[in-house]
Amino acid sequence: MPDRLDAGSVRRWCAATLAALRREQREIDALNFFPVADSDTGTNLVLTLQAAVEAVAANGQGESVRGESARGESARGVWKRMARGALLGARGNSGMIVSQLLAGAPAALPADEPVRGRALAASLRAAVAAGYAAVAQPVEGTALSVAAAAGRGATAADSDDLAVVSAAALRAAALALESTPAQLAAMGLPGVVDAGGRGLVVMLDALDAVVRDDVPLLDALGAPPADPVNEQPALGAQEGWEIQYLLDVPLNGSTGDDHRIAALRTRLTEVGDSVVVACADPDDGGHAVWTVHVHAHDIGPALEAGLVAGRPHQVVVTPLIVTGGLDEHDHSGHSSGGDPDPSAARAVVAVVPGAGLAQLFAAEGAVPVEVAPGTFPTVGELRAAIERSGATEVVLLPNDGAYAAVAEAASAAADADCTVSVLHTRSPVQGIAALAVADGTRPFRNDVVAMAEAAAATRWAEVTVAEEAGLTVVGPCRAGDVLGLVDGDVVAIGADTERVTRDLVDRLLNAGGELVTVVLGSDAAPTLGDALSAHLRARWPFCEVHLFDGGQPRAVVLLGVE
């Protein structure tokens, strides 16, 4: 029986946990009533741990069959890779919480000393703190309270004997799980144990088995006994959307990083619930990678909140289908019960600044609503455009953050027989990206998801001229100065439009990108388009460039990078 956790032990635990969750997947799915009775907690935990196993295996060459490291790697190092894999591959509310519990633990593990009983207890306490910190509105009777009990049990054992501590943690977690029906019944939920808590007990049971050296060889090797249960379309009523994405947040070394994430959590609790925002380690490019999860009735505001804080990508949007804890629901993006007929009339209504952009959107099949400089579209104008489209399914693109509230009001005022989904596009270039992937042959919700992903993947910028003197985040500007803005914030001030535009597009592409959209405004010089095209061909020869004459009145140039 091992007296310490080493790198091989953590690898065996990771593989054994996945194998055990696969065996218990259907049972855990059937227990799923909180936060939504959509019968997928077991499936989500399997997929989350599968990502963890893959992350560990990616650096696991050169080990014996038992999993011991030939390179002297620490348990802490393997655990951190396991946690990062789970965090980046987390699925659902339960997967997010478990991944954050895993991510919090390594901070309390010794870097170069054996992990014995007291160190394991400290890591479980650190995991609980991280789990509660990631959840915006923690609820007792869930995986969090089960984890907290495990931490208390491990600490109360007060031993350096690894087996004593792991057994105490498992025992306390199992007792806490038995208490969850009463805790959740107080919220009007059925008297069954919490599904996420049940999954956590399975994980702790696998850990205890590793410590007792009682893990089947198949589990230790990580060989899957069977593929995860296929997720089938749900039979039930849709209660909104589960929205998840990864968020790249540039690090500036100040408390501004914390403020952005705090503001993101606050905004997400305003637009939905089951909010989990968790961080992986900063990458080498000076960015922190966060995973974001929320249940909401509207996709757009949840994505817009991410756009304010950083760059969302790998967006996954899933319909929340309430099944009463009996059936799985669809995470694949395919049609679930209740989808409108794909052949129903569908339209895209887009708010645009200027006649040139109106013609551009109209040419792509959208119904444009042109707004004059300094004015706002009205609810009546947008509702009239929706009615004029003659469609029963409409995607509404405000194309400016300032117009979002009006767009939502118009959506609410639309006729009852017309379904309107507002995508919170903040620039016409995001609207162009969304429109480019619209496909009326798909079920409506699938089309909305695809368009939302395209918009969220598009970083946007603009070049404009200051109308008066002012103070920006990069210093003071005078009237007539050329300003470069990224996501609405001034990042450059200059005197030459072409130079500022070149610098701005280089700044965007330095962060990665394959497609550049350039929309020239009414004040753009006749030679600007050719000059930018030449610069992009010379500096970024592998990028695809789309150049449009938008004729917008305020922005000299609009830029989008995907």
Side-chain angles (χ1 to χ4, degrees), residues 175-203:
L175 289 173
L177 181 65
E178 292 177 5
S179 300
T180 59
Q183 292 170 302
L184 293 176
M187 302 175 63
L189 294 169
V192 296
V193 299
D194 177 68
R198 175 75 180 95
L200 187 61
V201 169
V202 170
M203 295 179 67

Side-chain angles (χ1 to χ4, degrees), residues 229-318:
V229 176
N230 291 329
E231 299 164 283
Q232 301 296 327
L235 298 176
Q238 184 173 348
E239 291 279 321
W241 304 91
E242 179 176 60
I243 302 148
Q244 289 185 249
Y245 50 85
L246 299 182
L247 184 71
D248 286 346
V249 179
L251 300 177
N252 57 26
S254 73
T255 57
D257 300 326
D258 296 333
H259 291 161
R260 278 180 291 177
I261 298 304
L264 172 64
R265 283 197 179 98
T266 299
R267 177 56 181 151
L268 289 175
T269 58
E270 293 171 351
V271 304
D273 54 31
S274 298
V275 175
V276 185
V277 180
C279 184
D281 292 335
D283 66 21
D284 295 334
H287 288 68
V289 180
W290 294 76
T291 58
V292 178
H293 173 279
V294 62
H295 291 173
H297 287 287
D298 294 309
I299 301 168
L303 290 176
E304 184 179 14
L307 288 166
V308 172
R311 185 176 71 87
H313 58 104
Q314 295 188 29
V315 180
V316 178
V317 180
T318 307

Side-chain angles (χ1 to χ4, degrees), residues 339-361:
D339 256 322
D341 184 346
S343 64
R346 187 175 305 166
V348 176
V349 173
V351 182
V352 292
L357 275 170
Q359 293 176 0
L360 173 61
F361 274 80

